[in-house]
Amino acid sequence: MADSSSSLPPLCEKISYKNYFLRVVDLTILGLLFSLLLYRILLMNQNNSVWVVAFLCESFFSFIWLLITSIKWSPASYKSYPERLDERVHDLPSVDMFVTTADPVREPPILVANTLLSLLAVNYPANKLACYVSDDGCSPLTYFSLKEASKFAKIWVPFCKKYNIKVRAPFRYFLNPPAATESSEFSKDWEITKREYEKLSRRVEDATGDSHWLDAEDDFEDFSNTKPNDHSTIVKVVWENKGGVGVENEVPHFVYISREKRPNYLHHYKAGAMNFLVRVSGLMTNAPYMLNVDCDMYANEADVVRQAMCIFLQKSMNSNHCAFVQYPQDFYDSNADELTVLQSYLGRGIAGIQGPTYAGSGCFHTRKVMYGLSIDDLEDDGSLSSLATRKYLAEENLAREFGNSNEMVTSVVEALQRKPNPQNTLANSLEAAQEVGHCHFEYQTSWGKTIGWLYESTAEDANTSIGIHSRGWTSSYISPKPPAFLGAMPPGGPEAMLQQRRWATGLLEVLFNKQSPLIGMFCRKIRFRQSLAYLYIFTWGLRSIPELIYCLLPAYCLLHNVALFPKGVYLGIVVTLVGMHCLYSLWEFMSLGFSVQSWFASQSFWRIKTTCSWLFSIPDIILKLLGISKTVFIVTKKTMPKTMSGSGSEKSQREVDCPNQDSGKFEFDGSLYFLPGTFILLVNLAALAGCSVGLQRHRGGGSGLAEACGCILVVILFLPFLKGMFEKGKYGIPWSTLSKAAFLAVLFVVFSVGN
């Protein structure tokens, strides 16, 4: 319970980042966009259809910038003071921690084990924590790795807490040797712990592709004759903290689960796995708060749980209305600079409205909110209102909403009534946990509809997030230093394209389902500007069409010898607009410590992913809406650097993460993702070449230097493709892609010149 005395310092405070100069810049850019649109309208009759197409594209860009201006108008975040927690809170609440994995090949088990170890070692009473790992691939290798990791945790957790280790993922911590100033006792413990971790890594590596250990223990019987998409429910209590009192050498509960899957049943991908985690944890520990992280996002800040509890337990904030606390997604490699900037400015902007969106990882949720409660269902003290009590706690309603399990219904009632967790052994709940994992358990219930993580989209995070905000809840954003969680982004190439396509498709699914902000802004409890923020996010995929067309317009106009941009003094609108946007975005990057090279690479990748990856989300969503096909969730491949073998190495962490000179190069393969980008590049190169040899049609008042500069700018933005034309191997564009793009480029040139 939290001490509500107002004389004590607050557990957290809201920080406003309002900057009137940036507001002026945003409005100036918006004014320039509107001026360009007005100019095109006034001269529409004097120009051909190219101006109409350009006007439509620029109208869409103006709308997007209007949404961005609205989002960034009042940025905010929260700063927590976890050191004040002990003097304010006499009994810290319990927290259930969820980790999801689905494929032992694309998500290496040793990576999952490191995430698990980082969570087990956080600075929070061990008897108040429980970690649940959901393995949707039903992999005996993953289970073996996690079981071995739980043994190492008995060494790792006390070591971290004894010496207050900052980085609590072993594969990151052991990248560098201990400082020479450390005590001999610490150095000895460091060597012992490192040696044990290396043994763990070798055991996991040796087990890969070797099944002898499967037959060595009866514990693996449940994995015999199983397939990733065809197996029974498996729930195993790997470690139970029996009778723990929260001292530093204790290890929290750890439970491995894998829900039942059958070929003819929908399993709803990650959202289905998260809902199974909610049910199993509700039966076993039933903590009021739940943390979910992806298997590659380890806890980088030891006080991460305490920081989130500061938000939830701060009475003056009206904490009953805070549904979740979201941390930004930070990364230890060099592939995510753009996302970091996006979160810093747009993420804080959304946080200043109704709260940040749920990003799928690094988020603390409240169990009662995930059980479908609205803010209207609570009294001022956080208890259920009389109307909500009749609505939610009626026995027949509970069974219909949450499933036909007496144990599940009992746990829901205890969670909604804020009763303390029953101190039963976890093994007593195994049978009930198996029951709630059956394929048919959710049939005709509200799971995935109004309860838990919502279905109908592969972007389950955004879908669930807008569902929570639509019920009137707020959320909070914390961006601590050092970052709370760290992960790895896929390298620029096929994996990145796959991930971006999945995101864009999933967001479009939400745009066209019942959670759409186009509906919510008029008839739900979500705030208007928050709806606009969601609209900005959900229309990512739609941007691909105007951006693709606008990348081709300069080349078409140069070959067809027609004007795309205004002439004379009015050309200053375009020049000023482009210049201001470049300087503005460059300032955003450099103010966060990134280089000019990083800014350029991010601008280039934004154009590439928009025109190459997001473009494929359009046919995906059209085919789904027509009922011809369904969207498929494909797991993104995760990678991790190898821990250095010698303690005397002088390599930095960045060198280990990016061990070769090719790590920053863009990778290609024969997939269709790279056809649009190659086509765009060849078309603009052909237009520049055609202009230099006088290939374009001759007419007065036609194209000129501005259109040629537009082509040059497009070529510069697609520089990775230009380099790929001269590279070999995975860094070169395959001949099949080049030949297809060249054929399309020839057709485009013939059409442009002859039309």
Side-chain angles (χ1 to χ4, degrees):
M1 297 294 291
D3 190 339
S4 59
S5 174
S6 59
S7 61
L8 294 174
L11 294 176
C12 62
E13 60 180 337
K14 186 175 182 179
I15 301 174
S16 175
Y17 296 93
K18 290 181 181 178
N19 188 316
Y20 292 100
F21 175 74
L22 296 184
R23 286 183 177 182
V24 171
V25 175
D26 289 330
L27 291 175
T28 302
I29 293 176
L30 188 63
L32 289 170
L33 284 166
F34 286 153
S35 299
L36 180 59
L37 293 179
L38 179 61
Y39 180 82
R40 290 206 184 275
I41 291 173
L42 294 175
L43 299 182
M44 191 73 71
N45 294 332
Q46 302 176 26
N47 292 274
N48 58 14
S49 57
V50 170
W51 272 49
V52 177
V53 175
F55 173 79
L56 294 176
C57 292
E58 290 159 359
S59 297
F60 189 87
F61 301 151
S62 301
F63 175 68
I64 293 299
W65 192 260
L66 177 63
L67 296 180
I68 291 175
T69 303
S70 171
I71 292 171
K72 294 167 67 176
W73 197 254
S74 53
S77 68
Y78 285 93
K79 179 177 176 57
S80 61
Y81 302 98
E83 67 277 4
R84 301 173 182 173
L85 200 58
D86 291 330
E87 64 184 54
R88 293 285 303 274
V89 182
H90 311 306
D91 186 22
L92 290 170
S94 299
V95 178
D96 290 335
M97 303 180 291
F98 302 154
V99 181
T100 53
T101 183
D103 188 330
V105 176
R106 301 182 71 80
E107 298 172 331
I110 190 63
L111 185 65
V112 185
N114 271 274
T115 299
L116 167 71
L117 290 166
S118 71
L119 293 175
L120 294 177
V122 296
N123 286 340
Y124 205 76
N127 62 329
K128 296 289 186 179
L129 294 174
C131 190
Y132 298 82
V133 176
S134 168
D135 177 18
D136 249 15
C138 192
S139 166
L141 176 59
T142 299
Y143 176 64
F144 172 81
S145 305
L146 295 175
K147 189 177 180 182
E148 292 298 309
S150 71
K151 299 174 185 177
F152 174 68
K154 298 178 181 64
I155 300 172
W156 176 247
V157 172
F159 172 75
C160 288
K161 294 188 176 181
K162 179 180 179 180
Y163 295 107
N164 193 26
I165 302 302
K166 301 301 181 184
V167 179
R168 302 202 173 182
F171 85 106
R172 295 290 295 172
Y173 175 69
F174 290 120
L175 289 177
N176 295 314
T181 56
E182 297 288 356
S183 66
S184 58
E185 180 186 6
F186 172 82
S187 299
K188 181 181 178 181
D189 288 347
W190 187 92
E191 289 290 347
I192 293 172
T193 308
K194 180 176 184 289
R195 194 158 50 244
E196 291 300 318
Y197 175 69
E198 288 173 343
K199 290 180 182 178
L200 165 65
S201 299
R202 281 196 298 270
R203 285 196 296 270
V204 173
E205 185 176 349
D206 292 342
T208 305
D210 185 359
S211 61
H212 76 275
W213 45 267
L214 258 176
D215 304 320
E217 298 183 51
D218 294 336
D219 202 22
F220 291 90
E221 234 178 77
D222 293 334
F223 294 94
S224 61
N225 300 318
T226 60
K227 297 178 181 178
N229 64 340
D230 190 4
H231 60 85
S232 300
T233 302
I234 300 175
V235 180
K236 291 183 177 292
V237 179
V238 182
W239 171 256
E240 183 172 2
N241 181 18
K242 296 182 179 179
V245 293
V247 295
E248 68 177 19
N249 63 342
E250 290 180 12
V251 177
H253 299 312
F254 168 43
V255 181
Y256 170 94
I257 69 173
S258 184
R259 60 192 169 125
E260 181 184 24
K261 280 188 178 180
R262 301 300 178 195
N264 296 326
Y265 282 85
L266 289 174
H267 55 84
H268 301 292
Y269 308 112
K270 183 181 175 181
M274 293 302 303
N275 284 338
F276 182 43
L277 282 164
V278 172
R279 294 195 293 270
V280 173
S281 64
L283 291 168
M284 290 187 168
T285 48
N286 210 20
Y289 302 105
M290 305 174 292
L291 163 67
N292 100 272
V293 296
D294 288 341
C295 65
D296 62 326
M297 298 289 292
Y298 70 87
N300 186 62
E301 166 57 66
D303 284 328
V304 61
V305 179
R306 298 170 66 85
Q307 289 175 347
M309 291 306 107
C310 287
I311 300 292
F312 287 124
L313 300 176
Q314 177 61 51
K315 293 295 183 182
S316 62
M317 286 179 51
N318 195 5
S319 61
N320 292 325
H321 289 176
C322 181
F324 60 85
V325 174
Q326 177 67 59
Y327 289 87
Q329 294 192 14
D330 290 286
F331 303 89
Y332 55 78
D333 57 11
S334 59
N335 300 316
D337 298 350
E338 175 198 8
L339 183 58
T340 302
V341 174
L342 198 68
Q343 290 179 134
S344 180
Y345 293 101
L346 292 180
R348 284 177 176 173
I350 300 174
I353 306 173
Q354 195 174 341
T357 61
Y358 165 42
S361 181
C363 185
F364 285 83
H365 294 272
T366 50
R367 188 176 291 271
K368 63 185 179 183
V369 174
M370 300 309 291
Y371 281 167
L373 290 186
S374 167
I375 58 171
D376 296 336
D377 296 323
L378 299 180
E379 301 288 358
D380 291 339
D381 62 354
S383 61
L384 284 179
S385 65
S386 56
L387 180 62
T389 301
R390 292 192 298 272
K391 175 183 176 183
Y392 288 100
L393 301 186
E395 188 173 347
E396 62 277 8
N397 290 342
L398 285 167
R400 184 176 63 251
E401 297 285 323
F402 293 92
N404 191 21
S405 167
N406 293 332
E407 293 84 356
M408 186 71 228
V409 167
T410 301
S411 77
V412 171
V413 172
E414 290 173 347
L416 295 181
Q417 292 183 336
R418 301 188 300 173
K419 292 183 178 179
N421 300 336
Q423 298 300 317
N424 297 326
T425 59
L426 301 185
N428 292 344
S429 303
L430 284 176
E431 185 177 345
Q434 296 270 356
E435 180 185 355
V436 301
H438 291 163
C439 289
H440 55 76
F441 181 80
E442 294 184 351
Y443 182 65
Q444 292 187 336
T445 69
S446 293
W447 287 103
K449 300 172 185 174
T450 58
I451 294 174
W453 272 252
L454 303 185
Y455 302 152
E456 298 185 358
S457 171
T458 53
E460 79 295 325
D461 47 2
N463 198 24
T464 302
S465 179
I466 192 172
I468 291 172
H469 284 135
S470 294
R471 300 201 302 272
W473 295 100
T474 62
S475 53
S476 299
Y477 183 83
I478 312 180
S479 183
K481 298 296 180 185
F485 298 95
L486 284 177
M489 286 285 281
E495 290 297 329
M497 295 294 103
L498 175 66
Q499 184 184 64
Q500 292 291 334
R501 176 182 181 177
R502 192 188 74 212
W503 287 351
T505 302
L507 294 173
L508 282 177
E509 286 177 314
V510 186
L511 182 66
F512 292 105
N513 72 15
K514 61 183 179 181
Q515 300 293 343
S516 174
L518 297 173
I519 301 173
M521 68 174 65
F522 300 111
C523 58
R524 295 185 186 135
K525 297 182 180 67
I526 189 171
R527 298 174 189 173
F528 180 74
R529 283 178 60 213
Q530 189 78 7
S531 292
L532 294 181
Y534 277 112
L535 190 61
Y536 166 79
I537 297 171
F538 295 160
T539 54
W540 277 7
L542 297 180
R543 296 184 217 175
S544 58
I545 296 176
E547 291 226 18
L548 174 64
I549 294 173
Y550 215 75
C551 285
L552 296 174
L553 277 178
Y556 175 83
C557 292
L558 202 59
L559 291 168
H560 198 62
N561 199 16
V562 295
L564 173 62
F565 302 111
K567 298 290 185 180
V569 68
Y570 296 104
L571 181 60
I573 298 175
V574 177
V575 174
T576 306
L577 185 57
V578 173
M580 281 192 67
H581 185 270
C582 288
L583 291 174
Y584 189 17
S585 58
L586 177 61
W587 173 84
E588 288 181 330
F589 273 77
M590 297 190 72
S591 65
L592 294 178
F594 296 116
S595 64
V596 176
Q597 181 181 0
S598 172
W599 164 77
F600 173 75
S602 296
Q603 297 301 307
S604 176
F605 183 62
W606 184 273
R607 302 284 82 75
I608 291 171
K609 73 181 181 183
T610 305
T611 55
C612 297
S613 181
W614 292 359
L615 180 66
F616 289 93
S617 67
I618 304 294
D620 285 346
I621 194 65
I622 291 175
L623 292 176
K624 179 183 178 179
L625 293 175
L626 294 177
I628 298 175
S629 68
K630 296 180 180 179
T631 53
V632 178
F633 187 101
I634 301 176
V635 177
T636 306
K637 187 176 182 179
K638 314 295 195 304
T639 58
M640 63 177 290
K642 292 183 179 180
T643 305
M644 66 183 188
S645 56
S647 60
S649 171
E650 296 298 326
K651 287 185 179 180
S652 68
Q653 289 190 9
R654 176 68 68 181
E655 289 172 326
V656 177
D657 292 339
C658 304
N660 60 72
Q661 61 182 357
D662 294 330
S663 60
K665 288 186 177 181
F666 202 87
E667 298 177 10
F668 298 90
D669 66 6
S671 64
L672 288 176
Y673 294 129
F674 304 104
L675 181 58
T678 309
F679 167 65
I680 290 171
L681 176 67
L682 292 179
V683 162
N684 281 274
L685 289 175
L688 290 171
C691 178
S692 64
V693 299
L695 180 64
Q696 75 271 34
R697 296 178 57 175
H698 297 284
R699 61 173 69 182
S703 60
L705 182 61
E707 287 72 24
C709 289
C711 290
I712 294 172
L713 180 59
V714 172
V715 171
I716 292 174
L717 289 172
F718 283 82
L719 189 61
F721 282 78
L722 184 61
K723 292 180 178 179
M725 292 175 62
F726 303 99
E727 293 278 358
K728 295 182 179 180
K730 65 179 180 179
Y731 301 113
I733 301 175
W735 174 250
S736 59
T737 302
L738 273 172
S739 58
K740 294 172 187 175
F743 175 72
L744 295 174
V746 170
L747 293 180
F748 182 90
V749 171
V750 171
F751 171 78
S752 302
V753 175
N755 186 20

